[in-house]
Amino acid sequence: MPPPLPPDPIEPCPPQAPAMDAALPAAVVATILSRLDVRSLLLAAAACRGLRTCASHALAFLPSFHLLEVALTHDLLRPLLPPNPSMRSLRLDCARLDDDVIGCLARSSLHELLLLNCENISGRLLCELGATCTDLRVLSLNSLGERRGLVVNFSDLQELLNGCSQLESLRLAFDFSTFDDPNFGRVWASASERLSSLEIGYIPMTMLLELLTAVMKAKQCMDYVKAPVFFPGLQKLCLTVDFITDHLIGSISVALPSLTHLDLQDAPIIEPTSSSDLTNTGLQQINPHGKLKHISLMRSQEFLVTSFRRVNDLGILLMADKCSNLESVCLGGFSRVTDTGFRAIIHSCSGLHKLRVSHGSHLTDLVFHDIIATSLCLTHVSLRWCKLLTDVGIERLSFNKDLNVLDLRDCRSLGDEAVRALSCLPKLQTLSLDGTDISDEALKYLGFGTCPLTSLSLRGCRKLTDDCIPLLFAGSVKQSLQVLDLSRIPSVTDDGIMLLARSRTPLIELRMRENPKIGDAAVMALASMQVDGGTYGSSLQLLDLYDCGGITPLATRWFKKPYFPRLRWLGITGSLNRVMADALARSRPFLHMACRGEELGTMLWDTYSDWYRHNDDDLDELEQWLLDGEPVSDDDTIMEE
């Protein structure tokens, strides 16, 4: 057979598609890129050299720079934040940053600055913000200067309040005892008159009372002398204190008459005395001006098992009588309040949308007995550690068809019939059933129900088995569920996780911590799972395998690329193999690894943590762009022990 003839040299070659920078004018490309958020912009830059050049120019004109999904070093962050007079909003995870970055963060054009995990940054940041960011409207910092050896001085706070004269919202989620100074109360007179929201992580009672006393004295003097004005428009106050007391409630009510949102939490280390505790008298002093829309009084049991022992139904009845306009109520640790008190809130507050009760040891089904007769439209309900609540009460609660979030953790008397009633709620998206008495049958109700669940927590539901997995994903829940917690369920094994992988449910977060029968096979199944033709393990951004009994060092190799390309949070047992864990951290520098049992994820970051719902499949390209296209060295790949 003769060989094929060579192509005719005169015949032209087929035309090739022009490059992006050649197909469109640079001005058009720049306009398109200017409409993208930061992550989309960086992903576009990874596509070709032309887009990379345009993206670099676009970074100098972005009005907002939000990058909370990865914690960058200063060397990686610096080229992404060139001088930019147009930047108004900056949000970052500062876990890998220190004081060297302060000059990069303090920008005169900023109106909003939100920084997470600032433990390696000193109080000098506050001073620099006060000197530079005079137009700042919103400031949120947490964990500032918590690393040992760093200093946060009173003078830093003073400079911040003096300089940022346009602040409307201030959130400083760290220990305020570092600001202890004789002038602490008076320095707040220089705070912005526009300040409407103030949140403080922890403030000693003496410092708080000093501040409130200064505010009350200034109000008393205003009639006959010119006195400084404290918080003229403050509407929201959130504090953590040593003890919530009658005196504190009374002082807040007098000093801050414009409050619409009051959130107080304490965590006693010793049992409160009668003079250092909240009583019925203190509850009578709440909301004297009738402006409150949200009230939260929580007693944490972090250090001591205690409660508000001096408050009973009478105190709640008196509070409810003055707070009929409340839209949100959170009560934690009111161990002597019975159904009578809780019913008073439900029946008095016709506009109530959010109800949270924790450690309600006397709360029973009677609270919701005639809820259908009220005009309530509850959307968020949390009833944690209400152990007398049964299926009957939840069936009554389910008459609220607008329920969107329901937290029933540690309500140990709840069973399958409660879930059956909830499975028909048309708007229910978040459901927590940790520690309840449900069985596989309950998951069947959810699987074939109509609620569009996006988050389901089953932690500690010990009756569940592998059979619950196919029952849950047999119906429409498979299309909506993104977050699943299967931790502390001793009967869930590798076989159950294989069934989950076969369902190809596009989960974003999966927690399986402290399961003795979960091992390497489960990791392999998840690593090999493909969703809608994507890459291996493409959908998972969080995977918690801490203290799973069957995990061996071999499982660590499955976290190498190309597996789990979108993974941002990984929980493993640190003692499993320190060398391999360290090698994994080097090969995937943007992976948050937790090896000491700490809880994972962005849910702890409150309302600013919506990034995890972003549905890109190419986050590995983002890493590559941030690393300037340099491949990871073979020496840093995962090695066998």
Side-chain angles (χ1 to χ4, degrees):
M1 187 174 181
L5 296 173
D8 189 345
I10 302 177
E11 183 178 347
C13 296
Q16 295 182 351
M20 174 66 76
D21 51 348
L24 292 174
V28 174
V29 176
T31 301
I32 295 173
L33 294 183
S34 68
R35 303 290 194 273
L36 301 179
D37 60 16
V38 174
R39 186 166 63 178
S40 299
L41 183 63
L42 299 185
L43 289 171
C48 68
R49 184 175 300 174
L51 284 179
R52 184 183 182 91
T53 302
C54 291
S56 298
H57 291 303
L59 288 170
F61 300 98
L62 282 181
S64 301
F65 189 99
H66 299 169
L67 195 63
L68 293 171
E69 60 269 82
V70 292
L72 302 181
T73 63
H74 188 203
D75 289 339
L76 292 175
L77 181 63
R78 189 190 301 111
L80 302 182
L81 288 175
N84 180 0
S86 302
M87 184 177 292
R88 296 292 182 264
S89 177
L90 177 60
R91 299 181 184 181
L92 291 174
D93 182 349
C94 299
R96 303 174 69 188
L97 300 175
D98 54 27
D99 277 7
D100 291 341
V101 79
I102 290 178
C104 188
L105 300 178
R107 294 166 177 255
S108 59
S109 62
L110 285 179
H111 288 178
E112 180 195 42
L113 179 62
L114 184 150
L115 303 178
L116 302 173
N117 303 316
C118 304
E119 55 265 17
N120 297 316
I121 301 177
S122 73
R124 191 164 65 85
L125 173 64
L126 300 179
C127 185
E128 194 66 28
L129 291 176
T132 307
C133 304
T134 55
D135 287 332
L136 199 62
R137 268 69 163 176
V138 178
L139 175 62
S140 178
L141 308 174
N142 78 329
S143 308
L144 183 70
E146 289 188 356
R147 195 189 74 193
R148 188 174 182 179
L150 292 180
V151 177
V152 183
N153 294 316
F154 173 74
S155 58
D156 298 326
L157 176 65
Q158 194 171 25
E159 289 295 328
L160 175 74
L161 297 179
N162 287 333
C164 298
S165 59
Q166 305 299 313
L167 272 178
E168 299 171 4
S169 176
L170 178 61
R171 180 177 181 268
L172 300 176
F174 51 86
D175 188 350
F176 256 49
S177 62
T178 186
F179 296 135
D180 192 10
D181 186 274
N183 295 316
F184 176 78
R186 292 189 293 273
V187 75
W188 288 90
S190 61
S192 167
E193 294 187 3
R194 298 185 178 186
L195 193 65
S196 62
S197 176
L198 176 62
E199 300 181 50
I200 295 175
Y202 164 74
I203 180 170
M205 182 66 77
T206 53
M207 296 175 63
L208 178 57
L209 292 177
E210 177 188 346
L211 170 58
L212 295 173
T213 300
V215 176
M216 290 186 287
K217 285 183 178 179
K219 288 182 179 295
Q220 294 171 357
C221 296
M222 286 180 65
D223 295 334
Y224 50 88
V225 296
K226 186 176 181 180
V229 179
F230 290 78
F231 310 123
L234 193 66
Q235 297 181 347
K236 179 178 180 179
L237 180 66
C238 301
L239 304 170
T240 298
V241 295
D242 305 294
F243 300 103
I244 299 175
T245 68
D246 292 350
H247 181 45
L248 175 61
I249 294 293
S251 299
I252 291 175
S253 298
V254 173
L256 304 171
S258 300
L259 284 184
T260 61
H261 184 124
L262 178 60
D263 188 332
L264 299 177
Q265 177 174 317
D266 67 7
I269 58 175
I270 60 173
E271 187 65 38
T273 63
S274 57
S275 61
S276 63
D277 203 3
L278 181 66
T279 69
N280 293 340
T281 303
L283 289 182
Q284 281 185 272
Q285 303 177 64
I286 291 178
N287 200 28
H289 305 282
K291 296 181 180 180
L292 274 184
K293 299 293 184 182
H294 169 91
I295 180 71
S296 178
L297 302 172
M298 306 293 293
R299 174 150 285 177
S300 170
Q301 298 189 5
E302 180 180 359
F303 306 113
L304 181 70
V305 178
T306 185
S307 62
F308 293 109
R309 305 180 191 278
R310 296 172 176 85
V311 174
N312 54 30
D313 289 337
L314 177 60
I316 299 297
L317 288 168
L318 294 171
M319 183 187 76
D321 187 51
K322 289 186 175 182
C323 300
S324 58
N325 293 326
L326 285 177
E327 299 174 0
S328 173
V329 175
C330 301
L331 300 175
F334 289 82
S335 60
R336 295 188 59 196
V337 177
T338 69
D339 294 333
T340 302
F342 294 122
R343 280 168 57 88
I345 294 174
I346 290 177
H347 287 269
S348 299
C349 306
S350 58
L352 193 66
H353 297 304
K354 299 180 181 180
L355 175 65
R356 178 184 177 187
V357 178
S358 64
H359 294 96
S361 53
H362 293 294
L363 186 150
T364 73
D365 300 334
L366 290 176
V367 170
F368 305 112
H369 175 67
D370 55 356
I371 194 171
I372 193 173
T374 70
S375 59
L376 282 185
C377 184
L378 292 173
T379 59
H380 294 65
V381 174
S382 175
L383 301 168
R384 293 194 65 184
W385 291 294
C386 297
K387 298 181 181 180
L388 298 182
L389 193 63
T390 71
D391 295 351
V392 176
I394 298 305
E395 289 173 359
R396 295 286 181 178
L397 178 62
S398 67
F399 288 125
N400 272 272
K401 298 302 181 183
D402 288 322
L403 272 177
N404 179 262
V405 175
L406 183 57
D407 184 354
L408 300 172
R409 283 177 284 178
D410 296 294
C411 295
R412 303 189 185 282
S413 300
L414 297 184
D416 297 344
E417 290 305 311
V419 178
R420 184 175 188 174
L422 298 173
S423 65
C424 298
L425 292 174
K427 298 181 181 180
L428 186 62
Q429 292 186 319
T430 301
L431 178 60
S432 299
L433 297 168
D434 303 17
T436 56
D437 198 40
I438 62 173
S439 68
D440 294 343
E441 189 71 12
L443 275 293
K444 180 179 179 181
Y445 294 140
L446 284 179
F448 288 98
T450 57
C451 51
L453 280 180
T454 59
S455 176
L456 176 63
S457 182
L458 304 169
R459 181 176 297 199
C461 296
R462 303 181 69 84
K463 285 187 176 181
L464 297 180
T465 68
D466 287 340
D467 294 335
C468 75
I469 303 294
L471 292 174
L472 176 62
F473 296 117
S476 60
V477 169
K478 174 183 176 180
Q479 307 302 322
S480 60
L481 196 64
Q482 296 180 334
V483 179
L484 179 62
D485 193 336
L486 298 173
S487 302
R488 298 174 189 162
I489 305 178
S491 297
V492 170
T493 68
D494 289 342
D495 293 338
I497 304 307
M498 289 181 183
L499 293 171
L500 188 153
R502 289 173 188 165
S503 73
R504 296 192 175 186
T505 302
L507 292 176
I508 291 176
E509 299 182 7
L510 177 60
R511 294 171 174 84
M512 303 182 293
R513 61 191 293 132
E514 299 173 44
N515 282 342
K517 297 181 181 179
I518 295 293
D520 295 350
V523 177
M524 294 169 60
L526 293 171
S528 305
M529 183 175 71
Q530 289 181 294
V531 178
D532 295 332
T535 54
Y536 292 110
S538 60
S539 65
L540 279 177
Q541 295 183 9
L542 181 150
L543 180 60
D544 194 348
L545 300 168
Y546 177 75
D547 205 19
C548 287
I551 300 292
T552 72
L554 294 176
T556 317
R557 295 183 299 174
W558 288 93
F559 296 107
K560 292 172 57 177
K561 294 181 180 180
Y563 304 108
F564 299 110
R566 302 180 63 203
L567 197 63
R568 286 294 171 269
W569 299 83
L570 175 63
I572 58 174
T573 305
S575 59
L576 188 67
N577 189 310
R578 189 70 257 176
V579 174
M580 298 180 70
D582 290 343
L584 178 60
R586 290 194 300 271
S587 67
R588 301 192 67 165
F590 301 113
L591 179 64
H592 297 261
M593 291 185 59
C595 302
R596 297 187 296 273
E598 56 267 48
E599 291 289 346
L600 296 178
T602 59
M603 300 299 288
L604 304 176
W605 295 349
D606 210 351
T607 56
Y608 294 104
S609 307
D610 55 356
W611 60 267
Y612 68 96
R613 298 192 182 277
H614 207 289
N615 289 322
D616 288 329
D617 285 331
D618 302 316
L619 288 180
D620 51 341
E621 293 185 12
L622 170 59
E623 290 185 14
Q624 192 73 6
W625 196 93
L626 291 171
L627 292 171
D628 201 24
E630 297 178 2
V632 179
S633 170
D634 292 339
D635 295 336
D636 288 339
T637 57
I638 304 303
M639 62 190 77
E640 295 186 20
E641 183 179 18

